[in-house]
Amino acid sequence: MSTVQTDSFLLLIALILISGVLAAKFSNRIGLPSLILFILVGMLAGSDGIGFIYFDNPEFAQLVGIFALVMILFEGGLQTKFATVRSVIIPAVSLATAGVLLTSAIVAMAAFLIFDITLLQAFLVGAIVGSTDAAAVFATLKERNIKAKMGATLEAESGTNDPMAVFLTVGIIELIMIPETAVLSLVPTFFWQMGAGLIIGIVIGKVASFSINRINLDSSGLYPIFSVAFALLTYGTASFVEASGFLAVYVAALVIGNTELTYRYSIFQFNEGFAWMSQILMFILLGLLVFPAELFTWEVISGGLLLSFVLILIARPVAVLLSTIGMKYTWKEKTFISWAGLRGAVPIVLATFPIVAGVEDGEFFFNVVFFIVLTSALVQGTSISWVARKLHLTGPKKDIPHHSIELISMGKANAEMMQFKVDEDLKIVGEKLKDVEFPNKANISAIVRDETLITPYGETEIKAGDFLYILVSTKYEKELKRALEAKRADLKKEKSKKVSREK
């Protein structure tokens, strides 16, 4: 590559990232999922748009897509509280396996009736769009005040359902390309992918947590890079033994994110930014890969709309209803889970698999899947908050701090600057700092209230919504958390009585 080409490539990347950041800002204001605007930027920049870029390389798009999904899953897992996921793990796994299988089967039968394709090709289309998408779900729910149980279920499902979708897609492609393949021979492969992926994720997650805490690096900037290296190591190791790399990455991130880490906030903030960058590049690249002249044809539009109708209003609700039988979800909650089953990057990336494998009509399937993703994002993504309000499934407004203090970390001085959000039902609400019994070696350095920095002193009263920044010795960190997280007994009793009345 010449110097001129290199300079042009760097300029192109800069323009793509700037466009992506502005698109993300604009999407928040109009309530439109950012992935739609990212894709539109790619389509407009492509050869059927202003002709700025010509891109027709599904292999490269697949590579970038897989890398981006690894980063997005890793960041999502880091931010997920295991205590929240643990309460919904059974329904989430049921949705991620039986739910995906049911969705794929129903969409496949519809595709067989709508398009002039074989039954195996129809099942390929169903498999590709069968799973929800972690990138779309994480991004859509991140700042919306959805009930915690609903958010946890959807995030856990989207983080664990990729193995089933990948298994079905790859398996059906194998059946199409090698007709003599025995269907039953694929079943042990699925259990191996799930089981080995889970074990690899747990093991590498524990190794990563131990390494981050024990290895004293010379620069704090190396710790986030260290974490990303473990994410890639997890995916690579799982793929090498033919296990599910996506599941392994999500599980490893859950383990790491729920461990006390040195330079925790630096690691989290770096991965959040890296995940955003990956998401921007991935969706814009996928937008470049599609040609609007081929996408917006009568056959794709009419067939895509019918399949979207079946997916959103029939297949997904039926799958949710059947895969959550006997589980503690109300009809309203099941309705919301059905509506919030967003499709995004995963189906589009999986749609490149048939093209790369040389499946007949692979490009047509890609366009149909792309249209379904656009429809899902536009219809479901823009209305999630409205549906949650109508079903009375909104939770408290999420306070996402845009501030952090990390002066000292245990890697250097055996101490940590801990950030703590004060919820309204905590015992410390309304108490003055001088009356709070903090453990030894713990000092409140700052309080942020409504984006205002407050210098703490003995008479300062703690209020709900405050962010406390406490310098604490790592030896007493768990003791401090237990003291801060103590609930008010009267509120506990009121909540238990309310639950009893509702039952």
Side-chain angles (χ1 to χ4, degrees):
M1 184 182 288
S2 67
T3 303
V4 175
Q5 289 176 317
T6 302
D7 293 343
S8 300
F9 177 75
L10 293 176
L11 176 61
L12 176 62
I13 294 296
L15 292 175
I16 287 175
L17 290 175
I18 290 172
S19 301
V21 171
L22 293 177
K25 177 65 176 178
F26 185 65
S27 70
N28 287 334
R29 293 198 171 188
I30 64 175
L32 192 69
S34 54
L35 69 91
I36 290 291
L37 294 182
F38 297 156
I39 288 173
L40 288 178
V41 169
M43 292 172 68
L44 288 172
S47 54
D48 280 0
I50 61 176
F52 187 56
I53 307 169
Y54 179 83
F55 180 75
D56 187 18
N57 190 334
E59 291 87 354
F60 183 71
Q62 187 181 110
L63 175 64
V64 173
I66 290 173
F67 176 83
L69 287 172
V70 168
M71 293 298 100
I72 293 165
L73 278 169
F74 187 69
E75 191 269 339
L78 287 178
Q79 301 284 355
T80 302
K81 300 294 183 185
F82 184 71
T84 307
V85 173
R86 184 169 49 195
S87 62
V88 298
I89 191 65
I90 294 177
V93 170
S94 180
L95 287 166
T97 51
V100 172
L101 189 62
L102 287 167
T103 303
S104 301
I106 295 172
V107 172
M109 297 310 298
F112 182 69
L113 295 174
I114 294 170
F115 300 114
D116 183 21
I117 56 179
T118 67
L119 189 59
L120 269 180
Q121 288 177 324
F123 270 97
L124 178 59
V125 174
I128 290 172
V129 298
S131 69
T132 59
D133 178 58
V137 171
F138 289 161
T140 303
L141 298 182
K142 183 168 285 187
E143 295 191 8
R144 284 174 168 80
N145 56 328
I146 306 299
K147 192 176 178 181
K149 180 183 177 182
M150 296 295 94
T153 302
L154 291 164
E155 290 180 358
E157 177 201 4
S158 64
T160 56
N161 67 6
D162 293 338
M164 176 61 88
V166 173
F167 164 75
L168 291 175
T169 301
V170 173
I172 294 172
I173 290 175
E174 186 175 343
L175 291 173
I176 292 173
M177 302 303 291
I178 311 174
E180 59 270 20
T181 302
V183 176
L184 292 178
S185 66
L186 300 175
V187 176
T189 304
F190 170 72
F191 287 102
W192 166 256
Q193 289 180 351
M194 292 288 286
L198 178 64
I199 293 170
I200 290 170
I202 293 173
V203 171
I204 296 185
K206 289 184 177 296
V207 171
S209 302
F210 179 84
S211 302
I212 291 170
N213 285 335
R214 295 295 180 181
I215 298 177
N216 193 357
L217 301 176
D218 294 332
S219 171
S220 61
L222 292 174
Y223 286 94
I225 297 173
F226 205 27
S227 69
V228 170
F230 276 110
L232 298 175
L233 175 66
T234 304
Y235 182 85
T237 302
S239 299
F240 182 76
V241 299
E242 298 183 352
S244 172
F246 291 135
L247 177 62
V249 167
Y250 184 69
V251 171
L254 273 176
V255 173
I256 297 169
N258 286 274
T259 304
E260 294 300 331
L261 297 175
T262 182
Y263 293 105
R264 180 182 186 86
Y265 300 114
S266 296
I267 291 172
F268 278 39
Q269 288 171 354
F270 177 88
N271 278 283
E272 183 180 10
F274 201 22
W276 267 110
M277 185 179 72
S278 301
Q279 189 176 162
I280 290 169
L281 291 174
M282 174 180 63
F283 281 118
I284 290 180
L285 195 65
L286 293 174
L288 286 170
L289 187 62
V290 70
F291 292 88
E294 298 176 5
L295 178 67
F296 298 113
T297 62
W298 172 247
E299 186 177 15
V300 172
I301 293 174
S302 59
L305 284 174
L306 285 173
L307 272 186
S308 296
F309 175 85
V310 171
L311 173 64
I312 296 171
L313 298 178
I314 300 176
R316 173 69 177 177
V318 169
V320 170
L321 181 64
L322 294 179
S323 57
T324 57
I325 289 178
M327 300 178 191
K328 297 179 180 179
Y329 286 88
T330 65
W331 281 102
K332 287 183 178 181
E333 290 173 338
K334 290 181 180 182
T335 300
F336 180 76
I337 293 171
S338 300
W339 187 256
L342 298 176
R343 269 58 189 174
V346 171
I348 298 176
V349 172
L350 289 179
T352 64
F353 282 34
I355 300 175
V356 175
V359 174
E360 184 180 358
D361 295 326
E363 290 82 1
F364 173 72
F365 299 147
F366 177 85
N367 287 323
V368 170
V369 170
F370 201 100
F371 190 87
I372 291 172
V373 169
L374 288 179
T375 305
S376 172
L378 281 170
V379 175
Q380 296 169 280
T382 57
S383 59
I384 279 182
S385 295
W386 180 82
V387 172
R389 287 195 298 271
K390 290 296 181 181
L391 295 174
H392 305 291
L393 294 175
T394 54
K397 185 179 178 181
K398 290 185 179 179
D399 292 313
I400 301 177
H402 300 288
H403 40 75
S404 66
I405 303 174
E406 191 166 61
L407 304 177
I408 299 176
S409 185
M410 64 184 179
K412 298 294 181 184
N414 200 32
E416 188 93 21
M417 182 65 74
M418 190 179 83
Q419 173 186 279
F420 183 81
K421 162 77 182 306
V422 180
D423 294 326
E424 61 183 5
D425 60 344
L426 295 182
K427 186 178 179 181
I428 60 174
V429 173
E431 292 192 15
K432 295 180 179 180
L433 289 180
K434 66 178 184 180
D435 299 326
V436 178
E437 295 183 3
F438 291 110
N440 294 329
K441 309 295 183 182
N443 294 296
I444 294 186
S445 301
I447 297 176
V448 176
R449 180 178 298 159
D450 298 327
E451 300 299 326
T452 301
L453 181 66
I454 297 174
T455 302
Y457 62 100
E459 295 295 325
T460 302
E461 182 180 323
I462 299 174
K463 296 185 178 181
D466 284 354
F467 286 92
L468 309 182
Y469 289 89
I470 308 170
L471 184 62
V472 59
S473 168
T474 54
K475 181 179 178 181
Y476 298 101
E477 193 168 356
K478 290 184 179 179
E479 182 183 344
L480 173 62
K481 277 195 170 184
R482 284 195 298 268
L484 293 173
E485 291 173 351
K487 305 283 185 178
R488 282 189 282 185
D490 55 339
L491 283 179
K492 273 189 172 181
K493 289 178 182 178
E494 287 179 14
K495 286 184 178 180
S496 63
K497 288 180 181 178
K498 184 179 178 182
V499 171
S500 300
R501 286 196 299 269
E502 289 177 351
K503 288 182 178 179

